[in-house]
Amino acid sequence: MNGTRQPQERPVPSEKVRAEAAAWVAQLHDEQRNPDLEARVHAWLGESEDHRRAFNRMTHVWERTGEIRMRASADTSAARTERRSRFTPWAGTLAATLLLAVVAALYFWHDNAVVTRVGQQQVRLLPDGTRVVLNTDTRIEVDYDERARRVRLIRGEAWFEVSKHPAWPFIVSAYGQEIRALGTSFIVRHDDIQDLSVTLVEGRISVAPIARSDEAPPQGPQVLAPGQRLVISRNHPLSVDRPELTRIMAWERGRVEFDETPLGDAAKEMNRYSTIHVAVANAEVAQLRVGGVFRAGDSDEFVRIVTAAFGLRADRRGDHIVLSKPAAAAPPAAVP
């Protein structure tokens, strides 16, 4: 068969191999290194391609983090002056190894996408310890470096529980906005139903438009308090409210909660979790108010309950269900 062979992406070396490479690089740059160190490094490099790739990457990271090491060295020197009796010869190398390993972990987590399918949820632990829960049909892209922890929400909904690293800003970008946080828990949603919503569970965040490098931000940041939700839509003015958090967070428990929600909006919300598409026939049916808790992805149960509650008819064609009011019965024919 003729055709162009696509290059295969090589897997990232294991955490153990990366840690070993970090230790070798740090020791090679130590002024008090052992005479036989280079021979041991060459032997280790000869064991596998993973070793060589990890070593090359760690060397690159070492060069990129020179400024950080200089600051760390100055801090270490000051501490050594104050506590000389407790400082051991290998402490400087160990500190450098740990610093390199941490930063290197970030470089290996660069432009990495995490995706969920319709109806799927996923929990991921990012390299810095941040926990992220992805809702249905969601895609994020992670890009960490020594300056900032950046995540792009391309679509969908994600709940971030941010690990505290005061010197490392955590920034989520979505729909032309940047959400900045430190040790914080918040939910970001970006889809066609709700263009962008940011709900703060705890902590403190600010939301501001992303400015181009050659211009000032078009407006100041919006700072949220715990329990507040910021909603930005192309069709409505910016708004801040205080929704019921248990309802906003119900999806993590596999539930969808409605409280006097228009049936048209409720159907769209249920459609996020299922390949079955539920629609309403007209504006009159769309304005019927729905309340209750439903299983995410169980469109059949949703249809069964709302048709029984409102006396509706459900017409199904394949994966499409249309809810409508039954046709009025024709009056009986007159008897001659």
Side-chain angles (χ1 to χ4, degrees), residues 294-295 298-309 314 323:
F294 298 86
R295 286 194 295 270
D298 196 343
S299 299
D300 289 329
E301 178 194 39
F302 174 76
V303 168
R304 184 169 60 253
I305 290 175
V306 298
T307 53
L323 303 177

Side-chain angles (χ1 to χ4, degrees), residues 192-203:
D192 293 335
I193 303 173
Q194 201 168 62
D195 292 338
L196 178 69
S197 69
V198 182
T199 305
L200 180 59
V201 179
E202 62 180 34

Side-chain angles (χ1 to χ4, degrees), residues 53 83 144 146 271 311 324-325:
R53 287 197 298 116
R83 300 185 301 272
Y144 280 18
E146 70 273 19
N271 290 342
S324 62
K325 286 195 171 183

Side-chain angles (χ1 to χ4, degrees), residues 202-224:
E202 62 180 34
R204 182 181 176 89
I205 59 175
S206 66
V207 184
I210 300 174
R212 292 192 340 213
S213 58
D214 58 345
E215 65 181 16
Q219 65 188 54
Q222 179 81 41
V223 178
L224 298 184

Side-chain angles (χ1 to χ4, degrees), residues 43-276:
W44 184 80
L45 290 174
E47 292 178 3
S48 73
E49 175 64 22
D50 271 0
H51 287 188
R52 292 187 289 274
R53 287 197 298 116
F55 183 85
N56 289 337
R57 176 58 67 92
M58 295 303 167
T59 300
H60 172 69
V61 173
W62 180 273
E63 295 168 353
R64 290 289 304 273
T65 57
E67 183 180 348
I68 298 176
R69 292 197 313 276
M70 289 175 65
R71 293 198 299 266
S73 177
D75 293 342
T76 302
S77 297
R80 182 166 47 192
T81 300
E82 295 177 4
R83 300 185 301 272
R84 184 176 301 274
S85 62
R86 288 181 289 173
F87 188 81
T88 56
W90 47 263
T93 300
L94 177 59
T97 302
L98 292 175
L99 173 65
L100 180 61
V102 170
V103 178
L106 307 184
Y107 272 90
F108 273 108
W109 194 279
H110 183 75
D111 291 336
N112 222 1
V114 185
V115 182
T116 57
R117 301 184 302 273
V118 172
Q120 181 188 25
Q121 294 179 351
Q122 188 176 154
V123 180
R124 293 294 293 267
L125 193 65
L126 301 186
D128 63 319
T130 292
R131 179 178 181 267
V132 56
V133 186
L134 282 71
N135 199 1
T136 176
D137 192 22
T138 296
R139 179 186 178 95
I140 65 171
E141 294 178 355
V142 181
D143 185 1
Y144 280 18
D145 60 30
E146 70 273 19
R147 294 179 297 276
R149 299 169 285 168
R150 295 183 179 273
V151 177
R152 292 177 59 210
L153 176 65
I154 307 301
R155 67 173 184 274
E157 186 172 22
W159 181 356
F160 299 93
E161 294 181 331
V162 181
S163 179
K164 293 183 179 180
H165 294 284
W168 245 333
F170 188 91
I171 303 169
V172 176
S173 60
Y175 196 59
Q177 304 286 318
E178 279 191 348
I179 302 103
R180 290 177 172 263
L182 287 175
T184 306
S185 177
F186 62 99
I187 300 169
V188 184
R189 174 173 169 176
H190 170 39
D191 54 32
D192 293 335
I193 303 173
Q194 201 168 62
D195 292 338
L196 178 69
S197 69
V198 182
T199 305
L200 180 59
V201 179
E202 62 180 34
R204 182 181 176 89
I205 59 175
S206 66
V207 184
I210 300 174
R212 292 192 340 213
S213 58
D214 58 345
E215 65 181 16
Q219 65 188 54
Q222 179 81 41
V223 178
L224 298 184
Q228 286 187 321
R229 175 179 63 179
L230 172 68
V231 179
I232 300 175
S233 171
R234 71 194 80 170
N235 300 320
H236 304 284
L238 179 149
S239 65
V240 176
D241 61 1
R242 283 186 171 273
E244 182 69 40
L245 283 181
T246 56
R247 182 162 52 87
I248 297 295
M249 300 158 64
W251 58 267
E252 197 208 11
R253 305 187 303 275
R255 298 287 184 264
V256 180
E257 295 188 11
F258 301 119
D259 181 16
E260 293 297 305
T261 304
L263 179 56
D265 293 341
K268 291 178 181 178
E269 188 68 17
M270 292 298 297
N271 290 342
R272 295 178 64 206
Y273 300 90
S274 175
T275 55
I276 297 174

